[in-house]
Amino acid sequence: AFHPRLLVKIKGSVFPFSCLVALPAALLSILLKSIVTTLADDAGFTALGLNDPNTVLGVAWSSVSSLLGFLVVFRTSQAYARFWEGTSAMYQMLGEWFDATSSLVAFCKRSKADKKDILVFQHTLVRLVSLLNAVVLTHLSSGGSEVDSGPEDEKQKQKPSMRAFELDLIDAEGIDRQSLLAINQVDDKVELIFQWIQQLIVETNSRNIFSVAPPILSRAFQELAQGMVKYHDASKIANVPLPFPYMQT
């Protein structure tokens, strides 16, 4: 994300090196402008090989315009590509997890297990997936937004991680208090909740609640895993900004 401090930051900046190249060119431009101003007669311009004083100004203007146009097009294309890459990864992640959750609920349709056990599994699964989505969206919306990582920045970075419980959740109070405290105390909230979901499926399968064959049940794990891969793809864009020289220019 852009911050005004980027304009004056020296470490990693391209400005010092650029000044070494631009300063001689600027001095030469000043010299040429002085010559153009001093030699106001046609004979003086002819002696320098310039038929029109506007030639110098035209070349300088076109050079600056070309450079600015390249920078605008480059930054815009990079921002557009990163935006769509992140958006696509996020929607694919949500779609994979929705399909996995829907399939797991459907796998209990013909189950001969106790109805109470089936409802407990389905309700717990939906609550955990809802909480997982909230934590993921919160992490992606706040990741990579700081320029530096000082003490104050770390405090500001930790605050958004608590916003998962401010989003619309499906009965988060149905999850036991100890689990909610555990989520608040760890940094890798997404990985923790994801692991709980997988363990819940394994424990449920051991109680013969699913009415499908193991190969079909494995598709739910595959969809969960594919969603996790898409989450890391989106997290890459949220946490890894453009290289600093590109951002500053």
Side-chain angles (χ1 to χ4, degrees), residues 2 5 10 21 24 33-34 44 81 147 160 181 214-215 233:
F2 177 78
R5 282 182 289 178
I10 300 300
V21 178
K33 181 61 177 178
S34 300
V147 178
L181 291 176
D233 288 342

Side-chain angles (χ1 to χ4, degrees), residues 110-206:
R110 295 293 183 178
S111 177
K112 297 180 181 180
D114 185 70
K115 295 296 182 181
K116 181 178 179 181
D117 293 338
I118 297 176
L119 289 177
V120 169
F121 161 71
Q122 292 177 341
H123 286 220
T124 304
L125 174 66
V126 171
R127 290 183 177 93
L128 288 177
V129 173
S130 174
L131 184 59
L132 176 63
N133 280 275
V135 173
V136 165
L137 295 177
T138 302
H139 176 264
L140 294 179
S141 65
S142 61
S145 59
E146 290 76 21
V147 178
D148 295 319
S149 58
E152 294 298 327
D153 294 319
E154 288 297 329
K155 294 179 181 179
Q156 295 296 327
K157 191 174 182 179
Q158 292 173 2
K159 289 181 180 179
S161 66
M162 304 295 295
R163 288 176 46 223
F165 296 94
E166 299 177 5
L167 301 178
D168 292 334
L169 299 175
I170 300 178
D171 192 20
E173 296 179 356
I175 303 176
D176 61 279
R177 180 177 178 81
Q178 184 177 0
S179 298
L180 294 178
L181 291 176
I183 296 174
N184 283 330
Q185 293 172 358
V186 299
D187 294 330
D188 301 325
K189 296 176 173 57
V190 176
E191 289 76 8
L192 176 63
I193 301 174
F194 185 79
Q195 184 64 21
W196 285 351
I197 294 175
Q198 293 187 109
Q199 292 179 1
L200 175 65
I201 298 173
V202 173
E203 292 176 356
T204 303
N205 184 55
S206 66

Side-chain angles (χ1 to χ4, degrees), residues 14-30 64 67:
V14 297
F15 283 171
F17 177 78
S18 301
C19 289
L20 295 178
V21 178
L23 186 59
L27 294 176
L28 180 60
S29 299
I30 295 174
V64 173
L67 177 60

Side-chain angles (χ1 to χ4, degrees), residues 77-99:
S77 62
Q78 289 295 317
Y80 185 80
R82 285 168 62 88
F83 169 77
W84 276 115
E85 182 182 356
T87 302
S88 300
M90 185 182 68
Y91 274 94
Q92 290 174 1
M93 172 198 70
L94 297 177
E96 295 286 356
W97 287 345
F98 175 82
D99 290 343

